[in-house]
Amino acid sequence: MKKLINSPESVLAQTVEGFTLAHSDLVEAHTDPVFISRATPTPSGKVALVSGGGSGHEPLHGGFVGDGMLDAAVPGAMFTSPTPDQIEAAIKHADAGAGVLNIVKNYTGDVMNFEMAVELAEADDINVRSVIVNDDVAVEDSTWTAGRRGVAGTVLVEKIAGAAAVRGDDLDAVTTLAQKVVDNVRSMGVALTACTVPHAGEPSFTLAEDEIEIGIGIHGEPGRERIKLRTADEITELLLGPVVEDLGIGNGEKALLFVNGMGGTPASELYIVYRHARKLLEDQGVEVTRSLVGNYVTSLEMQGASITVLRLDEELTTLWDAPVKTAALNW
Amino acid sequence: MKKLINSPESVLAQTVEGFTLAHSDLVEAHTDPVFISRATPTPSGKVALVSGGGSGHEPLHGGFVGDGMLDAAVPGAMFTSPTPDQIEAAIKHADAGAGVLNIVKNYTGDVMNFEMAVELAEADDINVRSVIVNDDVAVEDSTWTAGRRGVAGTVLVEKIAGAAAVRGDDLDAVTTLAQKVVDNVRSMGVALTACTVPHAGEPSFTLAEDEIEIGIGIHGEPGRERIKLRTADEITELLLGPVVEDLGIGNGEKALLFVNGMGGTPASELYIVYRHARKLLEDQGVEVTRSLVGNYVTSLEMQGASITVLRLDEELTTLWDAPVKTAALNW
């Protein structure tokens, strides 16, 4: 296992330390229990947004803490859910009197631990809601998941709900809007290579030299099928087809097209995929009015990509365009 | 060779197509010859900045085209210098009457082709200067290079010279300032794995399972030594030591610390390196007042990182902080 780490045990703490030092204008580290918050308190009366999940998907979620997006992020150990006490501490810290919305990716451990944290926080009279993100159309039920998995679409939920909180929506309204994004976003990914979790020391699965996995999960969970390597355009069609079909987006509609890198993919390849996905959408009469391309929800050093489509209306577009100041999204 | 491409021949054109489609608010593609320019013309009377070099280092240079940084970028084929006619076309397009500064990484082919392009552009009465970036302290003379190589420090030169051009400095002043950045920036990198150029189909070098290369070049050119894998902190010391020594930075000085990913490195590992590099600098009395961490000058899917230190004064800090609006840097 070749990694720029000091030991498997120190990865999480040292990543959080380096991340919060490098971005001390935006974020602050809390160590007991571990979570990341905005460097300045949540503005009084603003609904607070909290997200979290296993580490190894950086910049998710710490990279999205800051003005216009999350107020706190809770990193678990590598590919492992954060604990209820971590989440509870983040909720308590983030609350500024208007309540807290949790944005939770649909993995059994995450959902359960966020639920327990909500109970703990409610006992402290904090008003808490949660939305579950389940944008991955690849498979129903999987390792660690009942129902569909939450993947790259989570970034879009966090950005848009964050903007709604900034414009002054109350907790019910921010929750409704976050759910609207969940209802209108779908994703699917491909792996060209596996990744190695530091504690495991070995790749989490193996792919032959000419083999790729369509519908891969962000922890390397099985997808739909293993096939021989094809061209980027053919792979793009295999990913985009199920996304478009499940979303039911078509002629005359507008979309945000998001091509996400899994961590080890050259930027050039992401743009090659973006190019063809955009053409395919436009061929079906879908206008791509907003775009995002890059490493936002990764699986360590995995090579691969996912395609996410969000159906846009005027409100979602305005909220997407609203200012954001975080380590990973900034405009 | 596992890549999300359609063919080795189509990589450059399809990358440029996807990139300019995804960022059409910022950039525009030119296809005959190939270069990328700002979506809107260089403001009249502003010194124009042009850079370029072989592809495979994305987001360098196209990702730095936009307000406050480059006016045009010229991508050659993968790891191959752009041709003089490409560069000449970019210079002519970018010039807005105040002349053009070329920012050139120190590779023999790049330097030669930029020189030829300058002669061609001067024949058209365009006032052109060039600065050569040679920040890599690892080796003197190397594959493709006489003298030191130009690597990640190039981003800092482009940002700071870009801000000087926006504030209205004339061509002589922008050139002097770019050279000041070159004189005050040093870098060194490490490779954990090699990368594969699409045309070659095979990795450009091989490293044993427990071996890393200290001082690697961004095309996989040989560095200082191959050693057994060590901890992140030990590797950080091996990279930072020569950088600090060559730069001669020390007690009471301020620095920008830039940890750059080679393309296939998880963000967590970059932050682990950043954390220790920062501590080492601070132990020597150097105050890290600005930071940059991420994939900015890559080598396709290579796993590894480089450390860059820029000595900061008030002027360089102000120019670094000035607004920038490009695909890869935005604040």
Side-chain angles (χ1 to χ4, degrees):
Chain A
M1 176 179 66
K2 269 188 183 172
K3 290 184 180 293
L4 286 168
I5 63 175
N6 289 301
S7 67
E9 296 69 32
S10 62
V11 169
L12 175 58
Q14 294 189 347
T15 299
V16 170
E17 187 189 347
F19 175 75
T20 52
L21 277 171
H23 305 286
S24 59
D25 53 328
L26 299 171
V27 293
E28 189 172 77
H30 302 258
T31 52
D32 188 25
V34 174
F35 68 94
I36 293 166
S37 72
R38 307 157 49 102
T40 54
T42 307
S44 176
K46 185 185 87 70
V47 171
L49 263 64
V50 172
S51 191
S55 294
H57 308 300
E58 290 72 21
L60 191 77
H61 295 274
F64 303 118
V65 173
D67 282 338
M69 222 160 156
L70 300 179
D71 297 283
V74 194
M78 199 66 74
F79 289 4
T80 302
S81 300
T83 58
D85 69 303
Q86 278 182 279
I87 303 167
E88 182 203 7
I91 290 172
K92 277 177 142 171
H93 181 90
D95 181 45
V100 177
L101 175 64
N102 293 325
I103 297 172
V104 186
K105 299 194 300 301
N106 191 34
Y107 298 97
T108 306
D110 288 23
V111 171
M112 191 170 67
N113 290 359
F114 267 93
E115 275 174 7
M116 289 173 64
V118 168
E119 284 173 25
L120 295 168
E122 283 175 342
D124 293 318
D125 285 330
I126 299 175
N127 203 1
V128 192
R129 305 260 193 294
S130 297
V131 291
I132 309 290
V133 185
N134 61 348
D135 54 314
D136 188 347
V137 302
V139 291
E140 283 289 330
D141 304 337
S142 173
T143 327
W144 307 334
T145 326
R148 293 197 311 215
R149 303 174 295 216
V151 291
T154 310
V155 175
L156 311 186
V157 179
E158 294 178 358
K159 169 65 184 83
I160 289 172
V166 167
R167 77 174 174 190
D169 285 17
D170 67 14
L171 182 57
D172 282 342
V174 175
T175 306
T176 301
L177 199 69
Q179 187 61 50
K180 178 177 165 183
V181 181
V182 171
D183 294 341
N184 286 284
V185 68
R186 301 289 188 280
S187 302
M188 192 156 134
V190 61
L192 275 64
T193 63
C195 62
T196 298
V197 175
H199 268 102
E202 298 287 333
S204 48
F205 59 102
T206 51
L207 284 169
E209 196 42 55
D210 61 347
E211 204 179 35
I212 63 176
E213 176 126 3
I214 298 287
I216 193 79
I218 58 172
H219 312 92
E221 312 95 295
R224 287 194 170 186
E225 53 175 342
R226 290 191 176 189
I227 60 171
K228 299 281 178 196
L229 180 64
R230 303 191 190 174
T231 67
D233 285 359
E234 289 168 328
I235 294 168
T236 301
E237 284 163 37
L238 288 173
L239 299 183
L240 187 69
V243 165
V244 165
E245 188 185 10
D246 197 282
L247 183 56
I249 195 167
N251 193 28
E253 295 197 279
K254 292 181 179 179
L256 186 158
L257 172 58
F258 172 20
V259 175
N260 175 60
M262 293 296 195
T265 317
S268 49
E269 298 179 26
L270 301 181
Y271 285 112
I272 290 171
V273 170
Y274 172 86
R275 172 199 135 270
H276 194 58
R278 179 164 174 149
K279 182 184 181 303
L280 293 171
L281 284 169
E282 290 178 346
D283 286 350
Q284 294 171 67
V286 176
E287 188 186 356
V288 176
T289 58
R290 294 294 182 275
S291 300
L292 187 67
V293 182
N295 291 330
Y296 293 101
V297 180
T298 62
S299 302
L300 294 167
E301 74 281 9
M302 184 187 285
Q303 287 182 44
S306 61
I307 297 178
T308 297
V309 177
L310 169 65
R311 178 188 282 113
L312 285 176
D313 61 13
E314 206 168 312
E315 181 182 40
L316 296 187
T317 304
T318 300
L319 292 166
W320 176 255
D321 288 346
V324 60
K325 193 166 176 53
T326 68
L329 281 188
N330 190 16
W331 59 70
Chain B
M1 178 179 65
K2 269 186 180 175
K3 290 184 179 291
L4 287 168
I5 63 174
N6 289 302
S7 66
E9 296 70 33
S10 62
V11 169
L12 175 57
Q14 293 188 348
T15 299
V16 170
E17 187 188 346
F19 174 76
T20 51
L21 277 170
H23 305 288
S24 59
D25 53 329
L26 299 172
V27 292
E28 190 173 78
H30 302 259
T31 51
D32 188 24
V34 174
F35 68 96
I36 293 166
S37 72
R38 308 156 50 103
T40 52
T42 307
S44 177
K46 186 184 88 68
V47 171
L49 264 63
V50 173
S51 190
S55 292
H57 308 300
E58 290 73 22
L60 189 79
H61 295 271
F64 303 118
V65 172
D67 282 339
M69 221 162 156
L70 300 179
D71 297 282
V74 194
M78 197 68 74
F79 289 3
T80 302
S81 300
T83 57
D85 68 303
Q86 279 181 278
I87 303 167
E88 182 202 8
I91 290 172
K92 277 178 145 170
H93 181 89
D95 181 46
V100 177
L101 174 64
N102 294 325
I103 297 171
V104 185
K105 299 194 299 302
N106 191 34
Y107 298 97
T108 306
D110 288 23
V111 171
M112 191 171 66
N113 290 357
F114 267 93
E115 275 175 8
M116 288 173 64
V118 168
E119 284 174 26
L120 294 168
E122 283 176 342
D124 291 320
D125 285 330
I126 300 175
N127 203 0
V128 192
R129 305 261 192 293
S130 297
V131 291
I132 309 291
V133 185
N134 61 347
D135 54 316
D136 186 347
V137 302
V139 290
E140 283 288 331
D141 304 335
S142 172
T143 326
W144 307 334
T145 325
R148 293 198 314 215
R149 301 173 297 216
V151 292
T154 310
V155 175
L156 311 186
V157 179
E158 294 177 357
K159 170 64 185 80
I160 289 172
V166 167
R167 79 174 172 188
D169 284 16
D170 67 15
L171 182 57
D172 281 342
V174 175
T175 305
T176 300
L177 199 68
Q179 186 61 49
K180 177 179 168 183
V181 182
V182 171
D183 293 341
N184 285 284
V185 69
R186 301 289 187 279
S187 301
M188 193 156 132
V190 62
L192 277 64
T193 64
C195 61
T196 298
V197 176
H199 268 102
E202 297 287 334
S204 46
F205 59 103
T206 52
L207 284 169
E209 196 43 56
D210 61 348
E211 202 180 36
I212 63 176
E213 176 129 0
I214 298 287
I216 194 78
I218 58 173
H219 312 91
E221 311 97 297
R224 288 193 172 188
E225 53 174 343
R226 291 191 175 189
I227 60 171
K228 299 281 178 195
L229 180 64
R230 303 191 190 174
T231 67
D233 285 0
E234 289 168 326
I235 294 168
T236 300
E237 285 162 37
L238 288 174
L239 299 183
L240 187 68
V243 165
V244 165
E245 189 186 6
D246 197 281
L247 184 56
I249 195 168
N251 193 29
E253 296 198 277
K254 294 183 178 177
L256 186 158
L257 173 57
F258 171 21
V259 175
N260 175 61
M262 294 293 195
T265 317
S268 49
E269 299 179 25
L270 301 182
Y271 285 112
I272 289 172
V273 170
Y274 171 85
R275 173 199 135 272
H276 194 58
R278 179 165 174 148
K279 183 185 180 303
L280 292 172
L281 284 168
E282 290 177 346
D283 286 350
Q284 294 171 66
V286 177
E287 188 187 354
V288 175
T289 57
R290 295 294 181 276
S291 301
L292 186 67
V293 182
N295 291 329
Y296 293 100
V297 179
T298 62
S299 302
L300 294 165
E301 75 280 11
M302 183 188 285
Q303 287 181 45
S306 62
I307 298 179
T308 297
V309 176
L310 169 65
R311 179 188 281 113
L312 284 176
D313 61 13
E314 207 169 308
E315 180 182 40
L316 295 186
T317 304
T318 300
L319 292 167
W320 175 255
D321 288 347
V324 59
K325 194 165 175 51
T326 68
L329 281 189
N330 190 16
W331 58 70

